[in-house]
Short mmCIF file of all heavy atoms in Angstrom, two decimals:
data_model
loop_
_atom_site.label_atom_id
_atom_site.label_comp_id
_atom_site.label_asym_id
_atom_site.label_seq_id
_atom_site.Cartn_x
_atom_site.Cartn_y
_atom_site.Cartn_z
N LYS H 1 -242.74 85.17 92.08
CA LYS H 1 -243.26 84.37 93.20
C LYS H 1 -244.27 83.33 92.71
O LYS H 1 -244.39 82.23 93.29
CB LYS H 1 -243.91 85.28 94.24
CG LYS H 1 -244.28 84.53 95.53
CD LYS H 1 -244.82 85.47 96.59
CE LYS H 1 -245.05 84.71 97.90
NZ LYS H 1 -245.58 85.61 98.95
N LEU H 2 -245.01 83.65 91.66
CA LEU H 2 -246.03 82.75 91.16
C LEU H 2 -245.45 81.51 90.46
O LEU H 2 -246.15 80.52 90.27
CB LEU H 2 -246.96 83.49 90.20
CG LEU H 2 -247.86 84.56 90.84
CD1 LEU H 2 -248.61 85.33 89.77
CD2 LEU H 2 -248.82 83.93 91.84
N GLN H 3 -244.18 81.60 90.06
CA GLN H 3 -243.54 80.46 89.41
C GLN H 3 -243.12 79.44 90.46
O GLN H 3 -242.93 79.76 91.63
CB GLN H 3 -242.32 80.92 88.61
CG GLN H 3 -242.57 82.12 87.71
CD GLN H 3 -243.77 81.97 86.81
OE1 GLN H 3 -243.90 80.97 86.12
NE2 GLN H 3 -244.65 82.97 86.79
N LYS H 4 -242.95 78.20 90.04
CA LYS H 4 -242.70 77.12 91.00
C LYS H 4 -241.24 76.72 91.13
O LYS H 4 -240.90 75.94 92.01
CB LYS H 4 -243.55 75.90 90.61
CG LYS H 4 -245.05 76.15 90.75
CD LYS H 4 -245.85 74.90 90.44
CE LYS H 4 -247.34 75.16 90.61
NZ LYS H 4 -248.16 73.96 90.31
N SER H 5 -240.37 77.23 90.27
CA SER H 5 -238.97 76.80 90.33
C SER H 5 -238.18 77.58 91.37
O SER H 5 -238.52 78.71 91.72
CB SER H 5 -238.31 76.96 88.96
OG SER H 5 -238.07 78.32 88.68
N PHE H 6 -237.09 76.98 91.85
CA PHE H 6 -236.24 77.62 92.85
C PHE H 6 -235.55 78.85 92.27
O PHE H 6 -235.32 79.84 92.98
CB PHE H 6 -235.19 76.63 93.36
CG PHE H 6 -234.20 77.25 94.30
CD1 PHE H 6 -234.58 77.67 95.57
CD2 PHE H 6 -232.88 77.43 93.92
CE1 PHE H 6 -233.68 78.26 96.44
CE2 PHE H 6 -231.96 78.02 94.78
CZ PHE H 6 -232.37 78.43 96.05
N ALA H 7 -235.21 78.81 90.97
CA ALA H 7 -234.55 79.94 90.31
C ALA H 7 -235.42 81.19 90.39
O ALA H 7 -234.93 82.30 90.64
CB ALA H 7 -234.24 79.61 88.86
N PHE H 8 -236.72 81.02 90.20
CA PHE H 8 -237.64 82.16 90.29
C PHE H 8 -237.81 82.61 91.73
O PHE H 8 -237.97 83.80 92.01
CB PHE H 8 -239.00 81.81 89.68
CG PHE H 8 -239.04 81.93 88.18
CD1 PHE H 8 -239.06 80.79 87.39
CD2 PHE H 8 -239.06 83.16 87.56
CE1 PHE H 8 -239.09 80.89 86.01
CE2 PHE H 8 -239.10 83.28 86.18
CZ PHE H 8 -239.11 82.14 85.40
N MET H 9 -237.78 81.67 92.65
CA MET H 9 -237.87 82.02 94.07
C MET H 9 -236.68 82.89 94.46
O MET H 9 -236.82 83.87 95.20
CB MET H 9 -237.89 80.75 94.93
CG MET H 9 -238.05 81.04 96.41
SD MET H 9 -237.93 79.54 97.42
CE MET H 9 -238.49 80.17 99.01
N LYS H 10 -235.51 82.52 93.97
CA LYS H 10 -234.30 83.30 94.25
C LYS H 10 -234.43 84.71 93.68
O LYS H 10 -234.12 85.69 94.35
CB LYS H 10 -233.07 82.61 93.64
CG LYS H 10 -231.76 83.32 93.93
CD LYS H 10 -230.60 82.77 93.11
CE LYS H 10 -230.18 81.42 93.60
NZ LYS H 10 -228.96 80.92 92.90
N MET H 11 -234.95 84.82 92.44
CA MET H 11 -235.13 86.15 91.83
C MET H 11 -236.17 86.97 92.59
O MET H 11 -236.01 88.19 92.72
CB MET H 11 -235.54 85.99 90.37
CG MET H 11 -234.38 85.77 89.42
SD MET H 11 -233.16 87.11 89.45
CE MET H 11 -234.14 88.50 88.84
N TYR H 12 -237.21 86.30 93.08
CA TYR H 12 -238.23 87.00 93.86
C TYR H 12 -237.59 87.69 95.07
O TYR H 12 -237.83 88.88 95.34
CB TYR H 12 -239.30 86.00 94.32
CG TYR H 12 -240.20 86.50 95.42
CD1 TYR H 12 -241.18 87.45 95.17
CD2 TYR H 12 -240.08 86.01 96.73
CE1 TYR H 12 -242.03 87.91 96.18
CE2 TYR H 12 -240.91 86.45 97.74
CZ TYR H 12 -241.89 87.40 97.47
OH TYR H 12 -242.71 87.86 98.47
N VAL H 13 -236.76 86.96 95.79
CA VAL H 13 -236.10 87.50 96.98
C VAL H 13 -235.09 88.58 96.59
O VAL H 13 -235.01 89.64 97.25
CB VAL H 13 -235.40 86.38 97.77
CG1 VAL H 13 -234.61 86.96 98.94
CG2 VAL H 13 -236.43 85.39 98.30
N MET H 14 -234.34 88.37 95.52
CA MET H 14 -233.32 89.33 95.10
C MET H 14 -233.95 90.68 94.69
O MET H 14 -233.46 91.74 95.06
CB MET H 14 -232.48 88.77 93.96
CG MET H 14 -231.59 87.60 94.37
SD MET H 14 -230.56 86.96 93.02
CE MET H 14 -229.21 88.17 93.05
N VAL H 15 -235.04 90.59 93.92
CA VAL H 15 -235.71 91.83 93.48
C VAL H 15 -236.28 92.59 94.67
O VAL H 15 -236.11 93.80 94.79
CB VAL H 15 -236.82 91.51 92.45
CG1 VAL H 15 -237.65 92.78 92.15
CG2 VAL H 15 -236.21 90.98 91.15
N LYS H 16 -236.96 91.88 95.57
CA LYS H 16 -237.55 92.54 96.74
C LYS H 16 -236.48 93.14 97.64
O LYS H 16 -236.63 94.25 98.16
CB LYS H 16 -238.40 91.54 97.54
CG LYS H 16 -239.79 91.34 96.98
CD LYS H 16 -240.70 90.60 97.95
CE LYS H 16 -241.24 91.48 99.04
NZ LYS H 16 -242.28 90.81 99.85
N LEU H 17 -235.39 92.41 97.82
CA LEU H 17 -234.31 92.89 98.68
C LEU H 17 -233.64 94.12 98.09
O LEU H 17 -233.39 95.11 98.79
CB LEU H 17 -233.28 91.77 98.89
CG LEU H 17 -232.06 92.11 99.76
CD1 LEU H 17 -232.49 92.60 101.13
CD2 LEU H 17 -231.14 90.90 99.88
N MET H 18 -233.38 94.08 96.78
CA MET H 18 -232.72 95.21 96.13
C MET H 18 -233.61 96.46 96.19
O MET H 18 -233.13 97.57 96.46
CB MET H 18 -232.41 94.87 94.67
CG MET H 18 -231.56 95.91 93.97
SD MET H 18 -231.09 95.37 92.31
CE MET H 18 -229.94 96.68 91.88
N TYR H 19 -234.91 96.26 95.96
CA TYR H 19 -235.84 97.38 95.97
C TYR H 19 -236.07 97.93 97.38
O TYR H 19 -236.19 99.13 97.59
CB TYR H 19 -237.17 96.94 95.36
CG TYR H 19 -238.26 98.00 95.39
CD1 TYR H 19 -238.08 99.23 94.75
CD2 TYR H 19 -239.47 97.76 96.04
CE1 TYR H 19 -239.08 100.19 94.77
CE2 TYR H 19 -240.47 98.72 96.06
CZ TYR H 19 -240.27 99.93 95.43
OH TYR H 19 -241.26 100.90 95.45
N SER H 20 -236.11 97.04 98.36
CA SER H 20 -236.41 97.48 99.73
C SER H 20 -235.21 98.12 100.42
O SER H 20 -235.37 98.88 101.37
CB SER H 20 -236.89 96.30 100.57
OG SER H 20 -235.85 95.36 100.76
N ALA H 21 -233.99 97.82 99.93
CA ALA H 21 -232.79 98.36 100.58
C ALA H 21 -231.99 99.31 99.69
O ALA H 21 -231.00 99.88 100.13
CB ALA H 21 -231.89 97.21 101.05
N GLY H 22 -232.40 99.48 98.43
CA GLY H 22 -231.69 100.41 97.53
C GLY H 22 -230.28 99.97 97.22
O GLY H 22 -229.39 100.80 97.05
N LEU H 23 -230.06 98.67 97.09
CA LEU H 23 -228.71 98.16 96.86
C LEU H 23 -228.25 98.35 95.43
O LEU H 23 -229.06 98.36 94.50
CB LEU H 23 -228.64 96.66 97.20
CG LEU H 23 -229.09 96.22 98.59
CD1 LEU H 23 -228.94 94.72 98.72
CD2 LEU H 23 -228.31 96.94 99.66
N ARG H 24 -226.95 98.50 95.25
CA ARG H 24 -226.35 98.42 93.91
C ARG H 24 -226.38 96.94 93.53
O ARG H 24 -226.31 96.06 94.38
CB ARG H 24 -224.92 98.93 93.91
CG ARG H 24 -224.76 100.40 94.28
CD ARG H 24 -223.29 100.80 94.25
NE ARG H 24 -223.12 102.23 94.54
CZ ARG H 24 -222.86 102.72 95.75
NH1 ARG H 24 -222.74 101.89 96.79
NH2 ARG H 24 -222.71 104.02 95.94
N VAL H 25 -226.41 96.67 92.22
CA VAL H 25 -226.48 95.28 91.79
C VAL H 25 -225.24 94.50 92.22
O VAL H 25 -225.32 93.33 92.60
CB VAL H 25 -226.71 95.18 90.26
CG1 VAL H 25 -225.53 95.76 89.48
CG2 VAL H 25 -226.94 93.73 89.84
N SER H 26 -224.08 95.17 92.21
CA SER H 26 -222.84 94.50 92.63
C SER H 26 -222.90 94.14 94.11
O SER H 26 -222.36 93.12 94.54
CB SER H 26 -221.63 95.39 92.35
OG SER H 26 -221.77 96.64 92.99
N GLU H 27 -223.56 94.99 94.91
CA GLU H 27 -223.71 94.74 96.34
C GLU H 27 -224.68 93.59 96.59
O GLU H 27 -224.48 92.77 97.49
CB GLU H 27 -224.20 96.00 97.06
CG GLU H 27 -223.22 97.16 96.98
CD GLU H 27 -223.82 98.50 97.41
OE1 GLU H 27 -225.07 98.58 97.54
OE2 GLU H 27 -223.05 99.46 97.61
N LEU H 28 -225.73 93.54 95.77
CA LEU H 28 -226.76 92.51 95.93
C LEU H 28 -226.21 91.12 95.64
O LEU H 28 -226.33 90.20 96.47
CB LEU H 28 -227.93 92.80 95.00
CG LEU H 28 -229.01 91.72 94.93
CD1 LEU H 28 -229.85 91.73 96.20
CD2 LEU H 28 -229.90 91.93 93.71
N VAL H 29 -225.59 90.94 94.47
CA VAL H 29 -225.17 89.60 94.06
C VAL H 29 -224.04 89.06 94.93
O VAL H 29 -223.89 87.84 95.08
CB VAL H 29 -224.75 89.57 92.56
CG1 VAL H 29 -225.93 89.93 91.68
CG2 VAL H 29 -223.57 90.50 92.28
N SER H 30 -223.24 89.95 95.50
CA SER H 30 -222.09 89.50 96.30
C SER H 30 -222.32 89.59 97.80
O SER H 30 -221.38 89.64 98.58
CB SER H 30 -220.85 90.32 95.93
OG SER H 30 -221.04 91.69 96.24
#
């Protein structure tokens, strides 16, 4: 989140979403 690029913003959301919902990585990316 502290980084300024959109790529890091996307990772911020992906990590939080995966952790908060217990998703498999294949479920998350698709």
Side-chain angles (χ1 to χ4, degrees):
K1 189 175 185 180
L2 292 174
Q3 312 309 309
K4 294 183 178 180
S5 73
F6 175 69
F8 278 106
M9 183 185 191
K10 182 190 287 186
M11 277 301 296
Y12 165 73
V13 175
M14 292 181 81
V15 171
K16 278 193 79 171
L17 179 57
M18 188 174 188
Y19 177 59
S20 67
L23 305 181
R24 297 180 177 94
V25 64
S26 57
E27 296 167 347
L28 173 73
V29 297
S30 62

